[in-house]
Amino acid sequence: MSNPRTAALSEAGVSIWLDDLSRELIDSGRLAQLVEESGVVGVTTNPTIFAAAIGSGRGYREALASCAERGLDAEAAAIELSCRDVADACDVLAEVHRASGGRDGRVSLEVSPALAHDAAATVAQARELWARVDRPNAMIKIPATEAGLEAITEVIAAGISVNVTLVFGLSRYRQVVSAYLTGLERARAAGLDLSRIHSVASVFVSRLDALIDPQLAQIGDEDALALRGRTGLANARLANEVAEQGFASERARLLIAAGANPQRPLWASTGTKDPELPDTLYVSGLVVAGSVNTMPPATLAAFADHGEVDGDTVSAEYRESDQVLNALDGLGIDYAESVARLEAEGLEKFLASWTALLDSVSEALGAAR
């Protein structure tokens, strides 16, 4: 690894994943370059990323023509193209996967957001995507809705590695940990090799500040303004405490003794949305061993240029983080209502992106025909 700043982050125990994927990124060799030079050891995708990549048309013309020739509809074509990209990215990261014992080298592919409230359909599509990508270092992304929790358990029980996405609240995160452990218990009962099952839980960070900070500015007093830019970090740090507690339980210890892997917290939505905040805030502020930080390209470039690692910035901050959330409550900002709103809005945004992707693929198929 040639970049000293990302090297320091990796040495602190943070796995650097890239929150971006496209055919151009793979074919140009840029993804392989980021692995070699910037310490990228994983990739995450979502409907918004594929809408931008496939919608641009760059690198997809021949594949879209093939889909049109075979009479595929827009959804079937979008799934085929995204599975191909994920499989090829898995191949780029195959050596990372081998060298890390399966911990990293992962590429995530999300089930359709239209299925977020249908557990059975989510499980069925997760199985389909896993089989179509057909790479041991893939991960299937499932949102942490009520129905998603049920699906997570079933998919883990089937031996499929899962990236749990759209985690906002701490209560929901505790449910995610329990769903993962239940899945592992069922996998063990079925005689599966637990060591081959991996999972991360994607805790979204910046969106919390983007929701809360305008409310603090509206309140406008000194106490409120002092909390700006602090909610996302506080919530993520307490999520790390939830993970520590969950995987120190007797239930988890029995599974780990049988070969299971703890589910790692993954810091998602780590690009700052407020230009007044440091552009590496959600990287330098969330340094803790055993975590993953998935960064959009701009955030990764910023950290490689001027990011700083100053030891563990999470484990000693739990009680101060409690104080931040308590202070919000004292100002009349409802935490539970806020995280529920963010989950709903997150699903709406991904569904809008999925719809936009299908529209652009449909148009491209029509042109190819």
Side-chain angles (χ1 to χ4, degrees), residues 2 96 115 118-119 123 164 167 199 214 232 240-241 278 281 314:
S2 59
V96 173
L115 308 178
D118 186 334
V123 171
V164 183
V167 180
S199 182
N240 196 74
E241 184 180 35
L281 176 67
V314 173

Side-chain angles (χ1 to χ4, degrees), residues 81-139:
L81 296 181
S82 57
C83 285
R84 185 187 67 153
D85 282 2
V86 168
D88 288 350
C90 282
D91 291 343
V92 173
L93 288 156
E95 177 56 26
V96 173
H97 180 253
R98 186 201 64 76
S100 66
R103 182 178 176 86
D104 286 311
R106 296 279 171 176
V107 185
S108 297
L109 176 61
E110 189 157 347
V111 296
S112 167
L115 308 178
H117 301 297
D118 186 334
T122 295
V123 171
Q125 190 172 78
R127 287 177 176 271
E128 177 193 356
L129 296 176
W130 179 259
R132 291 185 68 160
V133 173
D134 194 24
R135 299 294 189 278
N137 50 330
M139 268 188 167

